[in-house]
Amino acid sequence: MDHNCEDWYADAETEAGIAAMRRLADAALSNDRSPVAEIAFITNEASFRILRQDPALIDQLWPKQQTELLRIGAPVDFVRVRDLGLAEKNGDTARWKFVVVAGCLWLDPEERELLRRTLLRDGRHVLFLHAQGICDGVRQDLSLASELAGIELKAYPHGGPCRGETVLDGKQLSWGTDKEITPILYSEDTGAEALGWLERQYYPVLMRKAHVGWTALWSGVPGVPWNLLGRMAEAAGVHRYLDDGSQVMANAGLLAVHPAGDGRRTLRLPQPRQLTDALTATDKGVTETMEVDMCRGQTRIWHAHSASCTAATDRP
């Protein structure tokens, strides 16, 4: 309905865009919409009870970390820890190669065991941020977080700005916040590999440790940047459609890209697919790589179908 009957929305370009999106949605209903994400982001809303007085940490663990993860160049599943049993039953956990546990500061014993049983296995790489699992609903103890990640954690005696640094491609990379966070955590676990350090205190704050059947990653500084997350995902075997900070969304029948900037990009698919531009109906043929000219703020969308030379179960 137009605002005050002033024909605000009686615009040819707007109406054409809405019509195109309607055609896209109708076509998508007949396509395979099965999820294909190899990355999962795990949260537990009960953790807000711990963080309600610490907005700086909330921002780094949730909005900031989700934003950075969405720039990794691959689709992501967002899952509540209590739904991990359902995800396992549906076969979703079998797809996940890289998991970010960011919003699970509060885990009751059943949730803790569910997370262990479904995620800490099958060669998966799991990144824990700050103090995941520090509270079990009865007590708050850093040893609970150490036990969950399998990496010994320690607390710096003072709060303050929380920033980490590492080296990526020969260049220093830093992340975190200058706002006060308490507690500031670090690790001196001799069985883990130190990959990054606190920017001011110089204690190890980014760790990697191999366990039987899975690999633990831990960052005491949340808000890990997308380019570092991308390297972690690649090490876990995740396919990245793009690696320039663009957002990629995909299911078994649809592929969408929201570019990080202007210019030509090479879109890489896991296997050859029959692609059709969802808005213009232009047939792109069967391809595994595609050169695409994009503009920042634009979203490009394609219908994706199995190529004749691939199995019907292949996904984009």
Side-chain angles (χ1 to χ4, degrees), residues 214-231:
W214 67 287
T215 297
L217 296 155
W218 173 78
S219 176
V221 179
V224 180
W226 67 267
N227 40 2
L228 185 53
L229 289 169
R231 292 298 181 85

Side-chain angles (χ1 to χ4, degrees), residues 224-258:
V224 180
W226 67 267
N227 40 2
L228 185 53
L229 289 169
R231 292 298 181 85
M232 294 177 180
E234 288 175 0
V238 171
H239 175 82
R240 298 175 70 189
Y241 297 71
L242 290 169
D243 58 8
D244 65 342
S246 297
Q247 182 180 3
V248 173
M249 297 151 282
N251 60 27
L254 204 66
L255 173 63
V257 175
H258 191 74

Side-chain angles (χ1 to χ4, degrees), residues 49-308:
R49 301 177 194 175
I50 296 177
L51 289 173
R52 70 180 75 182
Q53 303 300 329
D54 197 341
L57 187 55
I58 287 178
D59 181 65
Q60 292 294 308
L61 282 174
W62 270 283
K64 176 65 174 178
Q65 196 59 78
Q66 290 185 52
T67 299
E68 292 299 318
L69 191 63
L70 288 173
R71 298 179 64 192
I72 204 171
V76 180
D77 284 342
F78 292 87
V79 184
R80 297 185 306 176
V81 67
R82 67 177 64 179
D83 292 328
L84 284 173
L86 180 61
E88 181 183 44
K89 181 179 179 181
N90 291 340
D92 295 320
T93 56
R95 287 187 283 105
W96 300 337
K97 299 177 180 179
F98 179 52
V99 174
V100 179
V101 183
C104 298
L105 299 176
W106 183 318
L107 291 170
D108 65 34
E110 291 183 4
E111 291 168 334
R112 190 178 302 266
E113 179 56 32
L114 179 61
L115 188 150
R116 285 199 191 98
R117 178 175 62 80
T118 59
L119 298 182
L120 309 188
R121 51 181 290 187
D122 301 329
R124 197 169 288 115
H125 289 209
V126 183
L127 171 62
F128 298 90
L129 297 177
H130 199 254
Q132 302 303 303
I134 192 172
C135 180
D136 62 3
V138 177
R139 62 193 175 104
Q140 187 167 309
D141 190 332
L142 189 57
S143 67
L144 294 171
S146 298
E147 180 186 11
L148 183 63
I151 296 175
E152 184 180 353
L153 308 181
K154 296 182 178 180
Y156 188 69
H158 308 290
C162 184
R163 298 193 62 85
E165 61 180 2
T166 189
V167 175
L168 188 65
D169 295 331
K171 297 181 181 179
Q172 182 182 17
L173 177 70
S174 64
W175 72 98
T177 178
D178 289 323
K179 296 179 180 179
E180 182 169 355
I181 284 181
T182 303
I184 292 177
L185 304 181
Y186 67 98
S187 174
E188 292 181 326
D189 191 325
T190 57
E193 178 185 5
L195 304 174
W197 293 263
L198 283 168
E199 202 171 59
R200 292 174 174 83
Q201 296 84 1
Y202 306 112
Y203 288 117
V205 75
L206 182 63
M207 310 294 284
R208 177 171 57 202
K209 187 174 185 178
H211 296 291
V212 176
W214 67 287
T215 297
L217 296 155
W218 173 78
S219 176
V221 179
V224 180
W226 67 267
N227 40 2
L228 185 53
L229 289 169
R231 292 298 181 85
M232 294 177 180
E234 288 175 0
V238 171
H239 175 82
R240 298 175 70 189
Y241 297 71
L242 290 169
D243 58 8
D244 65 342
S246 297
Q247 182 180 3
V248 173
M249 297 151 282
N251 60 27
L254 204 66
L255 173 63
V257 175
H258 191 74
D262 299 337
R264 173 161 292 195
R265 285 162 173 74
T266 301
L267 188 62
R268 301 178 299 272
L269 280 65
Q271 64 275 317
R273 303 287 290 176
Q274 176 77 40
L275 295 181
T276 304
D277 192 296
L279 297 179
T280 67
T282 303
D283 185 3
K284 299 297 182 180
V286 176
T287 184
E288 192 170 2
T289 62
M290 182 170 60
E291 298 288 327
V292 185
D293 292 315
M294 298 185 182
C295 299
R296 181 175 174 82
Q298 178 187 47
T299 299
R300 299 291 301 274
I301 308 173
W302 298 269
H303 293 295
H305 304 282
S306 295
S308 57

